[in-house]
């Protein structure tokens, strides 16, 4: 059995934003009769050397006592929403908004599923959480709780960011990967940083019959699909109006994960997901729209997707044949390949098609990392869907 100690900044952060908002994932509850403040829930940050780290989030509670026996539930989704923590670097994933009592809390408890999926060092494995010093799992319910010792006080700051710190995060990997240890910390953060850090992400449930290209994340955050918006649909990539029309032709409801630029209210990327990833909201809409036994069709024909992340120096770029070669695998870059460049101290850039190759060439020699998502075409060749470039190792 190999023991992995992951030496990067953080694996999973949960930002709790006091302010106005609404909607989001799961059910939100607050039963106190005290004066309340509005609490927006986000998740953010992830390790860059893991291509995928999926877990289901079920519940978030604020603790009034050290043993966390007296709590205020601020997020609750029995089905659980799926978070790919490896996609949250530089992104705040919106979870919902709740009114919370104006009182001091001494901790927080997160409840997650005890199983998930991880792609680490190029290999996909089952992820398993079991009882450790700071993880408490119930095998009957299939859930694990993680307690965070922190002071939460709306009067002292609008935003609370909670980090899972990878400098002390460990996996044991053999046929599966087990989470051995995770340490969690929290800090207050200015709301302006949340809004201007780069991108906001959320799960939304779309009704194709009424869809017009507008995405409502919360009452105060609405964004539009524009000509350069990427839509990753089951049969490939679409942009702009083609994306809107493709979704309108689907049977609903559909679960989608959207990434939004909060400043100009533009949808950067929309990706269809399995219905269960959206949690209870999708199940409720599905029951409303479909009779028992009827099956939605939007995920039929989904091509198997592959992911790999390597240093930029390990990629060979061929602008003549419009390909990149990674670990001996040659991948075609088409006019529907989407590229995102998220570099430190620079504004994020988004390119499409062969412009991606020219930019990759321009960046050669820099200490950067590239993640490629690709599929296998009908003739056996590999086609790039998305190429992401960042500074993380």
């Amino acid at each position: 059995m190999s023991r992995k100690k992951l030496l990067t900044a953080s694996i999973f952060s949960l930002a709790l934003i006091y302010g106005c908002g609404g909607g989001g994932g799961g059910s939100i509850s607050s039963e106190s009769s005290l004066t309340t403040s509005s609490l927006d829930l986000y998740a953010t940050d992830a390790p860059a050397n893991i291509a995928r780290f999926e877990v289901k989030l079920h519940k978030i509670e604020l603790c009034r006592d050290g043993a966390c026996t007296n709590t205020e539930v601020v997020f609750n989704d029995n089905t659980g929403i799926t978070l790919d923590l490896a996609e949250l670097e530089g992104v705040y994933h919106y979870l919902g908004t709740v009114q919370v009592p104006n009182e001091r809390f001494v901790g927080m408890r997160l409840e997650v599923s005890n199983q998930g999926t991880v792609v680490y060092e190029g290999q996909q494995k089952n992820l398993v959480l079991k009882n450790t010093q700071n993880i408490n799992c119930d095998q009957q319910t299939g859930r694990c709780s993680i307690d965070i010792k922190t002071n939460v006080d709306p009067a002292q700051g609008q935003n609370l960011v909670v980090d899972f710190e990878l400098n002390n995060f460990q996996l044991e990997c053999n046929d599966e990967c087990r989470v051995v240890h995770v340490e969690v910390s929290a800090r207050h953060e200015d709301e302006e940083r949340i809004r201007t850090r780069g991108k906001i992400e959320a799960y939304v449930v779309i009704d194709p019959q009424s869809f017009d290209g507008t995405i409502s994340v919360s009452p105060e955050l609405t964004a539009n699909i524009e000509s350069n918006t990427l839509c990753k649909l089951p049969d490939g990539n679409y942009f702009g109006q083609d994306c809107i029309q493709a979704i309108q032709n689907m049977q609903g409801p559909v679960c989608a994960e959207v990434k939004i630029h909060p400043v100009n209210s533009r949808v950067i990327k929309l990706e269809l997901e399995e219905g269960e990833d959206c949690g209870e909201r999708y199940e409720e809409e599905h029951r409303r729209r479909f009779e028992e036994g009827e099956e939605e069709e939007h995920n039929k024909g989904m091509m198997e997707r592959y992911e790999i992340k390597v240093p930029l120096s390990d990629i060979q770029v061929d602008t003549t044949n419009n390909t990149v070669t990674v670990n001996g695998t040659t991948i075609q870059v088409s006019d529907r390949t989407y590229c995102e460049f998220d570099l430190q101290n620079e504004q994020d850039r988004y390119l499409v098609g062969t412009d991606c190759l020219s930019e990759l060439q321009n960046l050669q020699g820099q200490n950067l990392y590239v993640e490629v998502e690709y599929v296998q075409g009908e003739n056996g060749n590999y086609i790039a869907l998305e190429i992401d470039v960042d500074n993380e190792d």
Side-chain angles (χ1 to χ4, degrees), residues 131-363:
N131 289 328
T132 66
Q133 181 179 359
N134 55 356
I135 302 175
N136 184 27
C137 297
D138 185 331
Q139 297 304 316
Q140 289 187 334
T141 63
R143 299 186 186 181
C144 300
S145 62
I146 302 172
D147 287 353
I148 304 168
K149 301 298 182 183
T150 186
N151 292 317
V152 180
D153 186 352
Q156 292 190 5
Q158 288 188 327
N159 309 326
L160 178 67
V161 177
V162 183
D163 289 338
F164 282 59
E165 300 173 354
L166 272 187
N167 59 322
N168 289 309
F169 186 95
Q170 296 178 356
L171 294 179
E172 287 182 350
C173 292
N174 195 344
D175 294 333
E176 62 185 17
C177 287
R178 176 189 174 193
V179 178
V180 177
H181 182 78
V182 57
E183 290 189 5
V184 186
S185 65
R187 68 182 184 273
H188 283 285
E189 189 159 288
D190 184 78
E191 185 174 355
E192 185 67 15
R193 176 173 168 79
I194 300 293
R195 295 298 178 182
T196 61
R197 184 177 178 182
K199 297 172 283 287
I200 291 178
E201 186 178 86
Y203 282 120
V204 294
V205 178
I206 297 173
D207 180 357
Q209 293 181 352
S210 60
F211 184 60
D212 62 1
T214 298
I215 302 291
S216 180
V217 176
S218 77
E220 298 190 355
L221 180 58
T222 299
N224 297 307
I225 291 178
E226 299 182 0
S227 60
N228 56 350
T229 297
L230 165 70
C231 293
K232 299 175 71 173
L233 304 184
D235 58 345
N237 290 351
Y238 290 79
F239 294 90
Q241 190 62 37
D242 289 341
C243 163
I244 296 173
Q245 292 176 354
I247 293 176
Q248 289 173 340
N249 291 331
M250 294 178 179
Q251 284 189 303
V254 296
C255 168
E257 187 176 57
V258 295
K259 187 179 292 185
I260 294 170
H261 194 294
V263 176
N264 58 24
S265 298
R266 177 174 70 88
V267 178
I268 300 169
K269 181 166 64 173
L270 179 151
E271 183 171 2
L272 256 62
E273 304 289 354
E274 297 292 339
E276 63 181 19
D277 291 342
C278 282
E280 291 179 344
R281 289 172 301 155
Y282 176 85
E283 291 189 349
E284 292 170 359
E285 183 66 14
H286 183 273
R287 285 193 294 267
R288 186 181 72 83
R289 288 290 306 276
F290 289 91
E291 297 178 358
E292 184 176 356
E294 190 173 357
E295 181 183 2
E296 63 270 60
E297 298 181 352
H298 67 271
N299 277 334
K300 291 185 177 180
M302 174 72 77
M303 296 179 289
E304 183 176 2
R305 303 188 179 195
Y306 306 89
E307 300 168 331
I308 188 168
K309 186 161 191 175
V310 298
L312 176 59
S313 57
D314 290 351
I315 286 188
Q316 290 77 51
V317 178
D318 184 344
T319 56
T320 301
N321 296 305
N322 294 333
T323 63
V324 294
T325 300
V326 186
N327 293 347
T329 300
T330 298
I331 304 169
Q332 189 75 38
V333 174
S334 74
D335 58 359
R336 288 192 173 188
T337 299
Y338 169 86
C339 295
E340 183 172 324
F341 296 85
D342 185 8
L343 310 184
Q344 290 179 354
N345 303 319
E346 292 186 17
Q347 191 75 19
D348 289 356
R349 286 173 287 146
Y350 310 97
L351 300 175
V352 177
T354 55
D355 288 343
C356 301
L357 297 175
S358 300
E359 187 63 18
L360 286 173
Q361 278 196 326
N362 293 336
L363 295 173

Side-chain angles (χ1 to χ4, degrees), residues 6-19:
L6 311 182
L7 302 177
T8 51
S10 63
I11 189 167
F12 174 42
S13 302
L14 182 69
L16 306 183
I17 312 304
Y18 296 95

Side-chain angles (χ1 to χ4, degrees), residues 113-127:
S113 296
N114 64 355
Q115 296 188 34
T117 302
V118 63
V119 176
Y120 182 59
E121 295 185 342
Q123 295 186 349
Q124 178 172 318
K125 296 178 181 291
N126 290 331
L127 181 70

